Amino acid sequence: MKKLQSSFIAMASTILKVVLLLLFSSFTISPISCYKGAQHPLDPLSPKELTLVQTIVKKSYNPSSNNTISFHYVGLDEPEKPTVLSWLSKPSTKTLPRRALVFTRVNEQTHEIIVDLSKRIIVYDEVYKGLGYPLLTAEEQIAAIQLPLTYGPFIESAKKRDLNVSYVVCSTFTVGWFGGVERTKRVVKVQCFYNKGTVNLYLRPIEGIGIVVDLDKMKIVEYSDTFKIAVPKAEGTDYRFSKQNPPFGPRINGAAIMQTNGPGFEIDGHTIRWANWVFHLAFDVRVGPIISLASIYDPEKHTYRSVLYRGHISELFVPYMDPTEEYYYKTFFDCGEFGFGQNAASLVPLADCPSNAVFMDGYYAAHDGSPVKVANAFCIFERHAGDIMWRHTELGIPNRVITEARPEVSLVVRMVATIGNYDHIIDWEFKPSGSIKAQVGLSGILEVKSTTFTNVDQINEEVYGTLLGDNTIGLNHDHFLTYRLDLDIDGVANSFVKQNLVTKHVNDNVSPRKSYWTVVSETAKTESEAKIRLGTAPSDLVIVNPNKKTKPGNHHGYRLIPGAATHPLLLEDDYPQIRGAFSKNNVWVTPYNKSEIWAGGKYVDQSQGQDTLAVWTLRDRKIENEDIVLWHVLGYHHSPCQEDFPVMPTLSAGFELRPANFFESNPVLKVLPPKPVRWPNCTAKP
């Protein structure tokens, strides 16, 4: 009987999937807002909604009792995709039911909760008993780093080092997992720094002291003082302009961008329209910016065509390469442990963003569930970089020279997440040609350790990094950013095609050439066939709609144009790499699953790699002509150099999603050229 039920359920599920694909295979978004008076179903939770979640959850646990409740993730429980697409396809003034996904800690247990905001009730509440813990909150980290400053043994340790505790600043570091008995406590390690003489505290670590804090009990549970080494000097570490001395570098002239008629884009709630693009922008405490429903207007078809249903950075894996007792645990998952949104910096006009930028705020739930405002979390601006959109000079026609060119202008959405010492500059850039570029810039301060060495000639042991200055080693490390890209190329039913570039031999007596290359296309049928380590073989990677063709017969598609291929160098059975196994491949493709949004799993802190993108794909599900999600991993191997000291010039990497037979021809051929500027006659006499 159970087998019969299982077969029936599987058959019903297949039929439902086919029906949904047929319904939404040609989904397009109207250029006119179809939800006037109604809330967009993908809007982030508002301050009012965050407060409502706080009230409902706290009330359910009897606030008059001794229950201790903390909020570790509060975000939109997004509606099922077919529901959203159906709602958007028909003008409506009725808001879809709003629900919130909530991770709390109640009496030292993790609860996963779904709150129905429309009905004001909890519809799901389950204690999580698996491995790992939810996002660390800012408030508990602040409380943890205050503990050493009043802790007797630490004060004694500071005195032994001739350090004034009033200049000590501490920071929290997640402990990871390294085999053996699983931890049953939410703990972090605390490392302290000495900021006397500089604000650049990360370059002055206090070494030899080990501190472990239990976050639930908020007390120091382990303490050790094993060795003493001098703190690196403060001289030359302060990055503030007011602290710099001559000689100075060149002066950078500012560029004023004059837009007399205001910005060239329109913001309606969280929906942004610019040139031929329309998309939705949301803020999330864990991943930061989420781009949704990105569609581009096709003047030949007189309609907006879907490209990206939902896109965001899913996880950032940062393993350091120092295996010593003091540093081996530094293998961070910045989204799942600390939160990009929670650590969003308020952007500074004219510094972080140009003069023509428009700013948007973000909101998330604090440790107690109350709303926290991040002022200027996003900036949106048109980029006039002096680049060329397209051009050609024709010299082949006798007695004629023809030149046509169009300047490149794009729209940028930016956020900066500052997690401890590193600043992550997150850009999404939209181009009139149909391209979407994603880029992350890394700046800020290196992770360093103290040493007795002052010159590389003195080094007679492995130091796991680069000597940057007196007594200062910049540690080797990696950054692996995983993007989740739910592409809907002209509809939800898509396929992943590897267009392999294959060398072929020329047959005898056909040509004096001996070889050429050609394209041999291969459509991935299952998840295993879509796993790719870039750089092993030349190929173009394209998401196509196999149900839509151009007039010449090519499938509508978008191509992933990656940056430099970077692969992990850790052993596959090393514990950090088990947790970060999603970095093994640069490309993964999965069938759409609403619950599979975080590559490192729901509960990353102290996880054991049991719930990751690498684990999900072991099911080897069907991905041909399905609603699929593209995951792209880009990375850096960072071996520090002296130019990164005392603050790093921005190091950037990214990728591009570019139309591939999506349009019938160049979509920006008929872009209107700019009006000519009348310059004054510089040769005229005064």
Side-chain angles (χ1 to χ4, degrees):
M1 184 65 179
K2 287 183 178 179
K3 287 185 178 179
L4 184 62
Q5 287 177 337
S6 178
S7 298
F8 177 77
I9 291 170
M11 182 174 67
S13 176
T14 301
I15 293 172
L16 177 61
K17 187 181 289 187
V18 171
V19 170
L20 292 176
L21 288 175
L22 289 172
L23 281 172
F24 301 113
S25 61
S26 60
F27 168 73
T28 56
I29 296 177
S30 168
I32 306 299
S33 175
C34 64
Y35 44 91
K36 291 293 185 183
Q39 188 168 12
H40 193 290
L42 297 180
D43 278 356
L45 298 181
S46 67
K48 184 177 179 180
E49 289 175 318
L50 291 171
T51 301
L52 181 57
V53 169
Q54 177 194 38
T55 300
I56 293 170
V57 172
K58 283 191 170 183
K59 184 178 179 181
S60 71
Y61 288 102
N62 188 9
S64 62
S65 68
N66 293 323
N67 289 326
T68 58
I69 305 174
S70 55
F71 292 77
H72 295 261
Y73 177 83
V74 182
L76 176 70
D77 180 39
E78 64 180 89
E80 291 289 347
K81 189 174 183 178
T83 304
V84 174
L85 297 182
S86 177
W87 187 86
L88 288 169
S89 66
K90 300 174 183 177
S92 174
T93 59
K94 185 179 179 181
T95 299
L96 284 176
R98 299 273 289 172
R99 305 204 319 178
L101 175 62
V102 185
F103 298 157
T104 65
R105 293 282 290 171
V106 181
N107 298 333
E108 300 188 17
Q109 288 186 316
T110 299
H111 285 247
E112 184 172 331
I113 300 169
I114 295 178
V115 178
D116 189 317
L117 295 169
S118 304
K119 297 179 180 178
R120 301 188 172 216
I121 59 172
I122 291 176
V123 294
Y124 178 85
D125 185 349
E126 184 172 293
V127 175
Y128 174 69
K129 297 181 180 179
L131 301 168
Y133 298 102
L135 196 73
L136 278 64
T137 70
E139 290 84 349
E140 64 185 352
Q141 292 180 74
I142 291 171
I145 64 178
Q146 298 300 317
L147 294 176
L149 306 183
T150 56
Y151 187 63
F154 179 79
I155 294 172
E156 286 301 313
S157 294
K159 287 181 180 178
K160 283 197 306 183
R161 292 165 171 77
D162 296 323
L163 302 178
N164 186 336
V165 175
S166 64
Y167 289 107
V168 173
V169 179
C170 303
S171 185
T172 56
F173 298 85
T174 48
V175 299
W177 167 72
F178 297 91
V181 179
E182 68 179 78
R183 289 182 179 269
T184 58
K185 298 293 183 182
R186 290 183 66 240
V187 297
V188 293
K189 293 198 176 187
V190 173
Q191 183 177 3
C192 298
F193 305 86
Y194 201 55
N195 75 325
K196 184 177 182 180
T198 181
V199 297
N200 198 342
L201 60 106
Y202 292 106
L203 293 185
R204 307 200 73 200
I206 302 172
E207 305 278 13
I209 300 174
I211 306 171
V212 177
V213 172
D214 185 318
L215 292 176
D216 288 327
K217 291 183 169 53
M218 199 49 67
K219 68 177 184 179
I220 294 174
V221 292
E222 294 180 30
Y223 186 84
S224 63
D225 186 349
T226 54
F227 67 90
K228 185 172 69 172
I229 189 171
V231 174
K233 63 183 181 182
E235 182 184 354
T237 64
D238 205 315
Y239 46 78
R240 293 173 293 176
F241 181 72
S242 61
K243 299 298 180 180
Q244 307 309 308
N245 297 313
F248 292 107
R251 180 176 295 278
I252 304 298
N253 291 329
I257 300 174
M258 302 299 294
Q259 294 182 300
T260 55
N261 296 321
F265 53 90
E266 173 189 338
I267 301 177
D268 180 6
H270 290 270
T271 299
I272 299 173
R273 293 179 182 81
W274 172 80
N276 47 356
W277 281 102
V278 59
F279 61 91
H280 183 274
L281 172 64
F283 178 89
D284 180 78
V285 65
R286 179 161 172 167
V287 303
I290 300 177
I291 303 293
S292 301
L293 300 167
S295 296
I296 189 166
Y297 187 73
D298 187 334
E300 301 294 329
K301 296 182 181 294
H302 307 289
T303 187
Y304 277 79
R305 300 169 62 192
S306 61
V307 177
L308 178 66
Y309 179 75
R310 208 143 164 84
H312 58 82
I313 294 174
S314 180
E315 190 54 88
L316 170 55
F317 174 39
V318 188
Y320 280 82
M321 297 299 130
D322 187 335
T324 62
E325 180 64 27
E326 293 75 34
Y327 284 90
Y328 76 88
Y329 62 89
K330 294 193 174 185
T331 54
F332 307 123
F333 294 78
D334 282 348
C335 289
E337 293 175 338
F338 299 101
F340 266 15
Q342 181 173 235
N343 289 278
S346 292
L347 299 174
V348 180
L350 303 182
D352 291 318
C353 309
S355 60
N356 61 325
V358 173
F359 294 84
M360 290 177 63
D361 301 330
Y363 295 88
Y364 67 88
H367 186 82
D368 66 356
S370 59
V372 176
K373 176 181 177 180
V374 181
N376 293 359
F378 298 132
C379 69
I380 303 100
F381 59 92
E382 288 175 292
R383 174 177 281 161
H384 301 260
D387 295 332
I388 298 171
M389 179 187 292
W390 66 263
R391 79 170 317 282
H392 179 62
T393 295
E394 182 55 66
L395 301 172
I397 302 174
N399 304 317
R400 296 186 67 184
V401 176
I402 301 171
T403 297
E404 285 281 330
R406 301 290 184 272
E408 179 79 281
V409 180
S410 58
L411 184 75
V412 177
V413 174
R414 174 171 294 166
M415 194 195 92
V416 172
T418 301
I419 301 179
N421 53 310
Y422 259 108
D423 294 66
H424 308 79
I425 305 157
I426 305 165
D427 280 2
W428 287 87
E429 183 175 5
F430 296 83
K431 294 179 175 289
S433 61
S435 286
I436 302 174
K437 293 185 71 175
Q439 182 166 281
V440 172
L442 299 178
S443 189
I445 314 298
L446 293 171
E447 181 92 10
V448 305
K449 67 183 295 186
S450 304
T451 180
T452 58
F453 303 123
T454 58
N455 190 282
V456 293
D457 293 337
Q458 302 168 345
I459 298 175
N460 55 7
E461 61 189 55
E462 177 70 77
V463 294
Y464 313 108
T466 304
L467 185 67
L468 302 175
D470 290 352
N471 314 115
T472 303
I473 298 288
L475 295 174
N476 298 332
H477 58 284
D478 295 326
H479 302 261
F480 290 105
L481 291 128
T482 302
Y483 280 79
R484 181 183 186 269
L485 305 164
D486 183 359
L487 292 164
D488 282 355
I489 306 303
D490 249 351
V492 299
N494 288 174
S495 294
F496 178 65
V497 178
K498 292 181 279 187
Q499 296 180 340
N500 300 308
L501 309 185
V502 178
T503 300
K504 291 201 171 185
H505 294 278
V506 177
N507 294 329
D508 293 340
N509 303 321
V510 174
S511 167
R513 290 276 296 274
K514 292 184 178 181
S515 63
Y516 65 100
W517 65 259
T518 189
V519 177
V520 178
S521 293
E522 177 186 353
T523 300
K525 298 184 182 300
T526 64
E527 291 173 285
S528 62
E529 295 178 6
K531 297 176 182 178
I532 295 175
R533 286 170 65 89
L534 295 172
T536 57
S539 61
D540 288 330
L541 307 176
V542 188
I543 297 286
V544 304
N545 187 324
N547 312 293
K548 303 284 185 68
K549 292 184 178 181
T550 59
K551 292 176 182 177
N554 297 306
H555 291 300
H556 297 175
Y558 256 73
R559 178 178 296 153
L560 171 68
I561 302 179
T566 304
H567 307 134
L569 300 176
L570 296 178
L571 298 176
E572 287 191 23
D573 63 350
D574 195 358
Y575 298 108
Q577 189 58 38
I578 292 172
R579 298 176 69 209
F582 50 84
S583 64
K584 178 180 178 180
N585 298 305
N586 302 103
V587 175
W588 309 71
V589 179
T590 61
Y592 167 80
N593 186 323
K594 174 186 163 182
S595 67
E596 294 177 355
I597 53 177
W598 297 309
K602 287 183 179 179
Y603 304 101
V604 178
D605 180 32
Q606 299 182 49
S607 66
Q608 298 182 16
Q610 75 283 354
D611 175 32
T612 70
L613 172 61
V615 173
W616 306 334
T617 57
L618 293 177
R619 288 172 281 179
D620 206 17
R621 295 163 290 185
K622 183 177 180 291
I623 59 171
E624 184 179 16
N625 201 15
E626 299 278 349
D627 187 1
I628 57 178
V629 176
L630 175 70
W631 304 76
H632 180 43
V633 181
L634 59 92
Y636 314 76
H637 295 305
H638 192 175
S639 176
C641 58
Q642 287 183 237
E643 286 79 4
D644 297 332
F645 181 91
V647 64
M648 274 180 59
T650 300
L651 175 68
S652 298
F655 62 91
E656 181 177 353
L657 296 169
R658 187 180 179 92
N661 301 314
F662 186 80
F663 298 102
E664 293 292 340
S665 61
N666 180 357
V668 288
L669 173 67
K670 299 179 182 179
V671 166
L672 296 172
K675 293 181 179 179
V677 177
R678 293 184 177 274
W679 298 102
N681 185 353
C682 297
T683 60
K685 295 181 180 180

